Amino acid sequence: MGIDAEVVDNAKLFKKYPFISGRAAYIFSAIVTIFTYKYRRIQLIIDDKEITLENTLTTFANGKYYGGGMKVAPDADLQDGLFDICTVDKLSRIKMFTLFPKLIKGTHRQIEEVCFYKAKKIIVSSKDEITVNIDGEIVKRKDVVFELIPKGINFIIPRS
């Protein structure tokens, strides 16, 4: 949630033009969103730890990658039963331009405003609506709860 979700949301506007490809729409959207982004103060309860930040970006991931190959959670393990959480506190507009290449490579830990956590349950609250991207679906909410449910999805795998 935060700037990355707003880039996805704003890209819809650029995709309406027939001469702008999907990839170009995201690039244009990223540039425009960096200059128009409004920080939202959010409160996170990560298991029992409370954190408040001026959100640039906050991600709850089960896997290492999202968004077409950005390595936002470099230490994530699909089998550990925990979300890997990456928070990015308020960044200057200039520093935002350095964030995305580092997210792609998974080297954003070097940025001072970046923190990592692990948890089973996260509660997010804000006075203002925040843009949240849930596996490609954009929602705008003031309060959101994320919780991992062990063995929550059953798979049927045919015998070979």
Side-chain angles (χ1 to χ4, degrees):
M1 68 183 141
I3 193 165
D4 58 337
E6 290 192 21
V7 167
V8 172
D9 195 33
N10 292 338
K12 291 185 286 189
L13 303 171
F14 292 102
K15 287 181 180 180
K16 291 180 181 179
Y17 297 102
F19 55 90
I20 297 179
S21 69
R23 183 173 172 84
Y26 282 100
I27 292 168
F28 286 131
S29 180
I31 293 166
V32 168
T33 305
I34 284 172
F35 288 108
T36 60
Y37 183 71
K38 293 181 180 140
Y39 299 94
R40 309 293 194 291
R41 178 176 284 278
I42 63 171
Q43 292 77 39
L44 302 171
I45 299 175
I46 299 173
D47 286 339
D48 295 324
K49 181 178 180 129
E50 194 168 328
I51 298 163
T52 300
L53 66 137
E54 295 292 322
N55 190 49
T56 297
L57 177 146
T58 297
T59 301
F60 313 117
N62 203 9
K64 294 178 190 291
Y65 299 91
Y66 81 168
M70 294 200 305
K71 196 173 184 180
V72 73
D75 299 326
D77 178 356
L78 290 169
Q79 306 300 317
D80 69 359
L82 297 169
F83 283 112
D84 276 63
I85 302 150
C86 173
T87 63
V88 183
D89 209 341
K90 186 175 184 176
L91 291 177
S92 70
R93 307 278 181 209
I94 300 282
K95 212 166 185 182
M96 281 188 203
F97 282 103
T98 66
L99 175 65
F100 289 105
K102 290 180 185 288
L103 278 175
I104 290 167
K105 297 176 194 169
T107 59
H108 50 295
R109 189 181 309 270
Q110 304 163 3
I111 298 173
E112 179 183 341
E113 296 84 356
V114 173
C115 292
F116 291 92
Y117 308 92
K118 288 185 179 274
K120 289 186 178 193
K121 182 176 181 179
I122 305 110
I123 300 169
V124 182
S125 59
S126 176
K127 286 188 246 177
D128 302 306
E129 279 191 339
I130 47 178
T131 305
V132 183
N133 180 352
I134 303 172
D135 201 22
E137 298 298 320
I138 301 294
V139 297
K140 297 189 182 212
R141 300 280 188 277
K142 291 183 180 183
D143 301 295
V144 188
V145 177
F146 296 92
E147 187 170 8
L148 278 175
I149 301 168
K151 300 181 183 178
I153 299 175
N154 294 319
F155 290 93
I156 298 173
I157 302 170
R159 293 182 193 171
S160 50

